[in-house]
Amino acid sequence: MNNLTFSFFLLLEFSDVRDLQILYFFIFLALYMITLIGNLLIIAAIAIDYHLHTPMYFFIMNLAVTDLGIVSVSIPKLMTNYLTNSRSISYSECVAQVFFYLFFATCDVALLTVMAHDRHVAICNPLQYERIMHKEACICLAAAMWFSSLFNAIIQTGTIFSTTFCSNNIKQFFCEIPQLLKLSCCNCYLTEFWLLVIVGIITIVSFMYIILTYVKIFIAVLRIPSVNGQKKTLSTCLPHFVVISVFMFSGLFVYGRTYIEDSCSSNIFFSVLYIVIPPLLNPFIYSVRNKEIKVALKKWLRLAIGFQSQFKV
């Protein structure tokens, strides 16, 4: 095939029937608004309530920010295309999607790893917790996470778009890396190999560390003599473990399925599951299982309602 340069790409749509496109638009609009409101409430509750200015909630707030980033990278463009009956995405928009998705997804993995470390120190070494997880240490961890994610996103995005594409028809509803590599004019096996190595190392090392950390945590929990103490400790750990499981396993399943078979419908379904479900569930998991966040949310809502009533008067 001849080397071609495209100013836009064509995304895969769920349906070309106009009525179904409108239906999908409202479905994704509802999911996006629930995700947006849920994560913004978590951020607001933690930021306003000084009782939640602790390392655990600091990282939960960062997780809410990354979840908002992940879902905002692809879903608004998908809704816009359905509303305008279009499949196109400009070259620059595609670059932005790849970059910001890599950035926020890497941040998510790093955050889940740091949060596991935080819970391990709090439960297995509580007397040294304030010395280890002090304010400066948390800020340094967050800064290292954000800057390393930025570096990874720059390197991988630059590598992907340094190639020339022979087709602009992406078999996915957003600019997904494996699908973009399939459009390359060259046989980019080396590029694909190194990208998979980077993603694999980040994911597997993080996941193994998290698993080992939680094994130590559960062993420590079983040694707690009080049943109430065990329940209280598990109530702070189980939500985090659920979040990790949903994000890691759905992500590994999606990317493994992408390379094993090329079924467009299944790829779209599981990609939606991977991108939308974890950011959608995280606020509910943390608010339902965490009494302190529920109290902070009620306090924040009362303040908001009181301020609104004063403003009306």
Side-chain angles (χ1 to χ4, degrees), residues 56-77:
M56 181 178 73
Y57 295 108
F58 171 73
F59 294 124
I60 288 176
M61 185 172 66
N62 277 265
L63 183 67
V65 173
T66 61
D67 285 339
L68 283 178
I70 287 175
V71 77
S72 297
V73 165
S74 56
I75 301 304
K77 180 60 180 177

Side-chain angles (χ1 to χ4, degrees), residues 56-297:
M56 181 178 73
Y57 295 108
F58 171 73
F59 294 124
I60 288 176
M61 185 172 66
N62 277 265
L63 183 67
V65 173
T66 61
D67 285 339
L68 283 178
I70 287 175
V71 77
S72 297
V73 165
S74 56
I75 301 304
K77 180 60 180 177
L78 175 67
M79 292 189 299
T80 301
N81 281 359
Y82 279 137
L83 193 62
T84 59
N85 194 21
S86 173
R87 292 177 53 201
S88 66
I89 180 172
S90 69
Y91 187 91
S92 58
E93 286 177 326
C94 190
V95 173
Q97 271 197 349
V98 171
F99 172 79
F100 284 109
Y101 177 75
L102 285 170
F103 175 60
F104 288 116
T106 307
C107 282
D108 228 35
V109 174
L111 260 173
L112 294 173
T113 307
V114 172
M115 290 172 70
H117 173 70
D118 173 72
R119 291 299 84 205
H120 175 259
V121 176
I123 294 169
C124 299
N125 198 5
L127 297 178
Q128 300 294 323
Y129 181 76
E130 291 186 2
R131 184 182 65 82
I132 297 173
M133 299 300 295
H134 53 85
K135 181 179 179 181
E136 290 75 14
C138 293
I139 293 174
C140 288
L141 283 171
M145 173 196 70
W146 288 102
F147 280 112
S148 61
S149 300
L150 178 65
F151 179 75
N152 175 59
I154 291 172
I155 295 298
Q156 291 205 51
T157 305
T159 302
I160 293 166
F161 288 95
S162 63
T163 62
T164 306
F165 300 104
C166 286
S167 173
N168 67 340
N169 194 5
I170 301 175
K171 294 181 179 180
Q172 189 55 276
F173 71 92
F174 71 105
C175 289
E176 190 182 50
I177 296 172
Q179 300 300 331
L180 283 170
L181 288 174
K182 292 177 181 179
L183 304 182
S184 176
C185 294
C186 63
N187 294 323
C188 302
Y189 297 114
L190 187 62
T191 301
E192 186 173 343
F193 171 76
W194 282 112
L195 288 176
L196 285 175
V197 166
I198 294 172
V199 173
I201 289 175
I202 293 172
T203 306
I204 293 173
V205 171
S206 300
F207 188 66
M208 291 302 297
Y209 178 81
I210 291 169
I211 291 296
L212 292 174
T213 299
Y214 268 92
V215 168
K216 294 179 182 179
I217 289 174
F218 289 132
I219 291 173
V221 169
L222 292 176
R223 293 175 180 171
I224 298 176
S226 170
V227 176
N228 290 331
Q230 290 180 352
K231 290 181 178 179
K232 184 177 180 181
T233 304
L234 288 175
S235 68
T236 63
C237 294
L238 287 178
H240 181 227
F241 193 73
V242 171
V243 171
I244 292 169
S245 301
V246 172
F247 183 78
M248 294 285 191
F249 283 113
S250 59
L252 289 173
F253 185 77
V254 166
Y255 273 79
R257 192 179 181 88
T258 300
Y259 285 100
I260 292 172
E261 60 179 270
D262 193 23
S263 173
C264 295
S265 58
S266 60
N267 283 342
I268 288 179
F269 173 78
F270 288 108
S271 293
V272 170
L273 182 69
Y274 173 61
I275 290 175
V276 176
I277 298 304
L280 177 68
L281 291 181
N282 286 354
F284 294 100
I285 290 172
Y286 284 115
S287 61
V288 170
R289 295 288 301 177
N290 195 300
K291 293 181 180 179
E292 292 178 319
I293 287 186
K294 285 194 285 188
V295 170
L297 284 172

